Amino acid sequence: MKKLYIEGDNNPDLRMAFSKLLEQELKDGMPRIVMGDGKSQTIHKFMTAPKEEDEERFLLVDSDAPMENKQMLLDDIKSNHVYKNVVFEVSEENTFFMIQEVEAWILSQPEALKERGIKKGLPLNGIEYISKPSEKLSEIYKQNGKQYHKVREFSKIFKLLRSSELSGYSNEYKQLVERLK
């Protein structure tokens, strides 16, 4: 059994949005998604939750930095998240990053934004170097007379993303999907 721990509010709409994206590639082999209520809490749950029989566990969190050195990001997690009773260690095989923030995935697909009525401020280049994609997305929404809400609007637009296109944009996402298959 596969479990995917994802950084984000423990909200059924967010869980469903991630499910809709992943099931485009994984249909019959969907992992159980566990939302983590923020990065630290997600990492804590991932590392310390009791292991179920035959469980494979994966972690998906924001990188909060450009993806220039994955090992450095992994080392940062290991040094800043030391717990007793660790069940799963963070490793390159089980840990994946949303580059900077998950909103970069949304910014990478202007067609999905257009479906939500966002026409001004697109397309963007160098998305992986935008330090706060959520703030940039909010600015673009304002330019279009709309408001971006991290749960309500995210849940609506995230369901419009195309997994195959995201695999072409984000090698981390592509590797995550391959490991979950």
Side-chain angles (χ1 to χ4, degrees):
M1 178 207 23
K2 295 180 181 182
K3 274 190 187 176
L4 176 59
Y5 288 73
I6 302 175
E7 176 182 350
D9 293 338
N10 190 4
N11 178 297
D13 292 335
L14 292 179
R15 187 179 306 106
M16 181 59 72
F18 276 100
S19 289
K20 289 284 183 196
L21 178 67
L22 290 168
E23 71 185 9
Q24 293 174 38
E25 304 271 349
L26 303 174
K27 297 193 189 343
D28 298 328
M30 282 293 292
R32 182 168 155 231
I33 294 176
V34 179
M35 300 303 293
D37 287 330
K39 189 172 188 173
S40 290
Q41 294 86 343
T42 306
I43 293 168
H44 182 263
K45 284 180 181 181
F46 170 82
M47 293 177 78
T48 64
K51 182 180 179 183
E52 295 182 35
E53 192 175 327
D54 298 326
E55 177 184 348
E56 280 186 85
R57 196 174 287 186
F58 300 91
L59 177 65
L60 180 62
V61 294
D62 291 344
S63 68
D64 298 319
M67 192 67 180
E68 294 168 354
N69 185 338
K70 183 172 182 173
Q71 189 57 53
M72 190 171 74
L73 294 172
L74 293 169
D75 291 345
D76 184 58
I77 289 174
K78 290 175 187 177
S79 65
N80 290 312
H81 299 276
V82 179
Y83 307 109
K84 292 181 181 177
N85 304 321
V86 170
V87 176
F88 276 88
E89 293 285 343
V90 169
S91 73
E92 192 159 343
E93 291 78 38
N94 66 18
T95 303
F96 301 89
F97 295 96
M98 298 174 276
I99 308 308
Q100 303 279 3
E101 297 174 316
V102 70
E103 281 82 3
W105 291 1
I106 295 169
L107 291 171
S108 77
Q109 294 194 21
E111 292 305 316
L113 287 161
K114 288 176 186 173
E115 286 184 51
R116 294 292 304 148
I118 305 300
K119 297 181 182 4
K120 297 177 189 171
L122 303 171
L124 298 171
N125 294 317
I127 295 165
E128 63 276 10
Y129 295 103
I130 299 171
S131 65
K132 293 284 185 189
S134 58
E135 290 176 6
K136 183 64 176 174
L137 191 58
S138 221
E139 288 172 25
I140 291 171
Y141 266 72
K142 283 180 187 169
Q143 288 175 23
N144 287 271
K146 297 180 179 269
Q147 184 177 7
Y148 176 72
H149 185 270
K150 193 115 170 121
V151 175
R152 278 190 314 269
E153 182 59 19
F154 175 90
S155 297
K156 291 175 185 173
I157 193 164
F158 207 72
K159 293 174 188 173
L160 301 175
L161 297 184
R162 287 174 284 293
S163 184
S164 60
E165 198 172 307
L166 189 53
S167 288
Y169 165 75
S170 171
N171 196 44
E172 278 292 293
Y173 178 77
K174 180 180 180 180
Q175 289 176 10
L176 171 65
V177 169
E178 287 171 2
R179 290 285 292 140
L180 290 173
K181 286 185 177 178

